[in-house]
């Protein structure tokens, strides 16, 4: 999609460009690797380095302008076409939204946060839109794009410039709605600032990401921002998660509950809407109570959007499970081999084992090391031992040590 805006138009009311020659901006990025001729390059201070530290002279020469957060670190290369913008980190969302035409305001936006299940919930919501004959997009772990046509990315929630670019691209090709995963990192770093969510979903909360947040309270506070600070018109909350449910107090938004007897909930082998049994859980391709909860969260969001969730619920039978999440690799000598390596938390791995408690399994666990203690997993395994556990990835050795 072709976009063009003058620097003066881009800056108007947001930052000062007096004394700088006007120029034409035809793109925008915060990733020096993706910089194209005519782009505005946005450089802010990150967790470990300033964005300018990644920018080489030959890359800067391609940019129409380099906007950087002042002050820049000492001895940092500052190109001739650079403009210092104080507090750029807090302004970049507004700059991106302006350049890309405020795409979030033109579509129905659903944001989903929660320790586990964000990807499944987002894909289920997008599937429901698609089945209604409407064009929907997603942003998340699997990538970005229209439902079923995703391009892989590096993060669950991309940087704020990439978020607005992706929304504009999807709107350009007809998207009426976008469901996106909103990670705690994204909320803390402002990657979804100025994205006007119509519906905000907080599905569940367990211990995670202490390597980044430092404490469970800080982790919870950052995730809660999607509910308390997004100004969404509708909020979807899990009644069985006490800290999540408590967020309903004082909200102006309309609250929709799941895992409640009056709404969508699982009981026995059935999925219910109130007292109506809608779906046999054994027909779903995603086993386990946690996946039933994801379906309930998605159906509650679908209902909040005004769609017929009861009519759409059977489509969950055709949902394609995520790769490396409860993925059956095969069966030999009566033992089922399960790949759950996308799940890198002890509680998610416990949920995986609970799915197969009635049959002998060997399970692959581990991956990215989030600094979590796997004692709870070790305790569960000692009382409910599978046939084998293959610990792999960065935290594989630490998991194996806990299991000994």
């Amino acid at each position: 999609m072709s976009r063009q805006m003058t620097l003066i138009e881009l800056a108007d009311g947001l930052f000062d460009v007096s004394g700088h020659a006007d120029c034409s901006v035809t793109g925008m990025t915060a990733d020096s690797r993706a910089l194209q001729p005519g782009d505005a390059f946005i450089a802010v201070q990150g967790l470990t380095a300033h964005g300018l530290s990644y920018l080489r002279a030959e890359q800067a020469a391609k940019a129409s302008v380099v906007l950087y957060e002042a002050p820049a670190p000492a001895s940092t290369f500052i190109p001739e076409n650079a403009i210092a913008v104080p507090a750029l980190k807090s302004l970049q969302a507004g700059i991106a939204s302006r350049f890309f035409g405020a795409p979030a305001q033109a579509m129905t936006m659903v944001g989903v946060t929660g320790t586990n299940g964000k990807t499944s919930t987002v894909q289920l919501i997008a599937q429901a839109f698609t089945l209604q004959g409407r064009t929907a997009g997603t942003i998340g772990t699997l990538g970005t794009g229209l439902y079923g046509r995703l391009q892989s990315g590096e993060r669950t929630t991309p940087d704020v410039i990439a978020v607005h670019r992706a929304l504009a691209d999807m709107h350009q090709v007809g998207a009426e709605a976008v469901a996106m995963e909103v990670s705690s990192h994204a909320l803390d770093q402002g990657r979804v600032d100025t994205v006007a969510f119509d519906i905000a979903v907080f599905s569940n909360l367990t211990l995670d990401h202490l390597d980044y947040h430092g404490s469970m309270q800080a982790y919870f506070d950052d995730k809660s921002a999607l509910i308390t600070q997004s100004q969404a018109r509708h909020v979807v909350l899990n009644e069985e998660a006490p800290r999540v449910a408590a967020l309903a107090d004082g909200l102006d938004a309309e609250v929709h509950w799941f895992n409640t007897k009056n709404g969508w909930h699982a009981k026995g082998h059935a999925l219910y809407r109130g007292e109506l049994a809608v779906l046999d859980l054994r027909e779903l391709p995603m086993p386990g109570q946690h996946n039933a909860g994801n379906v309930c969260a998605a159906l509650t969001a679908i209902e909040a959007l005004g769609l017929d969730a009861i009519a759409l619920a059977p489509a969950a039978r055709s949902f394609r499970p995520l790769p490396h999440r409860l993925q059956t690799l095969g069966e030999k000598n009566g033992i089922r081999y399960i790949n759950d390596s996308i799940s890198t938390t002890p509680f998610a791995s416990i949920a995986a084992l609970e799915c197969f408690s009635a049959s002998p399994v060997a399970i692959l666990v581990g991956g990215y090391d989030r600094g979590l203690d796997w004692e709870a997993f070790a305790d569960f395994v000692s009382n409910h031992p599978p046939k084998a556990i293959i610990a792999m990835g960065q935290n594989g050795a630490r998991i194996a040590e806990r299991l000994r």
Side-chain angles (χ1 to χ4, degrees):
M1 176 182 177
S2 176
R3 303 179 180 93
Q4 186 167 327
M5 182 176 289
T6 67
L7 177 61
I8 290 175
E9 291 171 333
L10 184 65
D12 187 28
L14 292 175
F15 59 96
D16 184 19
V17 294
S18 57
H20 296 275
D22 199 11
C23 62
S24 178
V25 176
T26 57
M28 184 175 294
T29 185
D31 185 346
S32 61
R33 298 167 299 179
L35 188 61
Q36 298 295 316
D39 281 357
F41 180 68
I42 311 296
V44 300
Q45 179 62 49
L47 292 175
T48 59
H50 196 286
L52 282 176
S53 66
Y54 299 101
L55 187 67
R56 301 190 304 272
E58 60 270 24
Q59 293 173 313
K62 294 192 296 185
S64 59
V65 65
V66 174
L67 304 178
Y68 72 94
E69 184 178 28
S75 73
T76 301
F77 164 68
I78 300 178
E80 293 182 0
N81 58 344
I83 300 176
V85 181
L88 178 58
K89 186 177 294 183
S90 63
L91 297 173
Q92 60 180 338
I95 294 170
S97 180
R98 174 177 289 177
F99 179 76
F100 291 109
Q105 296 179 23
M107 299 180 289
T108 299
M109 294 298 305
V110 182
V112 178
T113 198
T115 305
N116 303 302
K118 292 186 294 294
T119 304
S120 295
T121 304
V122 159
Q123 295 299 316
L124 284 162
I125 292 169
Q127 180 192 54
F129 265 98
T130 304
L131 290 172
Q132 289 281 293
R134 302 169 66 180
T135 304
T138 65
I139 297 176
T141 302
L142 298 181
T144 298
L146 298 185
Y147 178 70
R149 288 180 274 167
L150 300 179
Q151 295 182 344
S152 61
E154 294 181 355
R155 299 177 177 139
T156 296
T157 313
D159 69 68
V160 65
I161 309 299
V163 163
H164 286 277
R165 184 192 307 109
L167 292 175
D169 288 345
M170 286 186 277
H171 182 246
Q172 176 69 14
V173 294
E176 303 170 61
V178 172
M180 68 180 295
E181 301 177 47
V182 185
S183 68
S184 55
H185 299 70
L187 288 159
D188 180 52
Q189 296 171 14
R191 296 186 213 160
V192 292
D193 286 359
T194 74
V195 175
F197 289 106
D198 298 283
I199 295 183
V201 181
F202 196 155
S203 56
N204 54 68
L205 182 75
T206 57
L207 192 65
D208 201 1
H209 294 306
L210 296 191
D211 55 329
Y212 176 87
H213 298 280
S215 71
M216 185 65 179
Q217 185 61 49
Y219 173 55
F220 173 69
D221 290 344
D222 284 333
K223 292 193 84 63
S224 300
L226 180 65
I227 305 300
T228 60
Q229 298 178 29
S230 70
Q231 299 181 331
R233 295 182 295 111
H234 300 272
V235 165
V236 174
L237 299 176
N238 182 354
E239 189 174 84
E240 291 185 348
R243 295 182 78 172
V244 173
L247 293 172
D249 296 338
L251 288 179
D252 292 330
E254 182 177 353
V255 179
H256 305 260
W257 299 98
F258 71 96
N259 285 344
T260 174
K261 64 180 181 180
N262 295 321
W264 287 97
H265 66 284
K267 183 172 65 175
H269 293 301
L271 196 70
Y272 285 81
R273 176 59 175 91
E275 297 182 355
L276 176 66
V278 178
L279 192 63
D280 189 331
L281 291 172
R282 291 168 294 189
E283 297 176 349
L284 298 181
M286 317 90 74
Q289 288 299 306
H290 62 296
N291 275 317
N294 296 336
V295 175
C296 289
L299 290 170
T300 304
I302 289 164
E303 223 168 53
L305 289 166
L307 302 180
D308 187 346
I310 292 176
L312 288 166
R317 298 188 188 108
S318 62
F319 183 73
R320 176 182 289 183
L322 308 182
H324 313 297
R325 182 70 173 114
L326 295 176
Q327 182 180 9
T328 298
L329 301 176
E331 188 169 323
K332 186 175 182 180
N333 299 328
I335 300 173
R336 185 184 299 182
Y337 289 81
I338 304 297
N339 180 0
D340 200 52
S341 58
I342 199 174
S343 170
T344 54
T345 72
F347 302 102
S349 294
I350 289 171
L353 286 175
E354 287 176 334
C355 294
F356 303 100
S357 58
S359 58
V361 297
I363 188 167
L364 280 71
V365 299
Y368 176 69
D369 193 345
R370 298 184 179 185
L372 302 177
D373 187 345
W374 284 72
E375 182 178 2
F377 179 72
D379 289 344
F380 181 87
V381 167
S382 67
N383 293 313
H384 309 86
K387 285 294 183 179
I389 296 175
I390 300 95
M392 55 185 288
Q394 289 181 3
N395 58 356
R398 200 149 59 82
I399 296 172
E401 185 61 32
R402 269 294 186 189
L403 293 171
R404 290 191 176 98

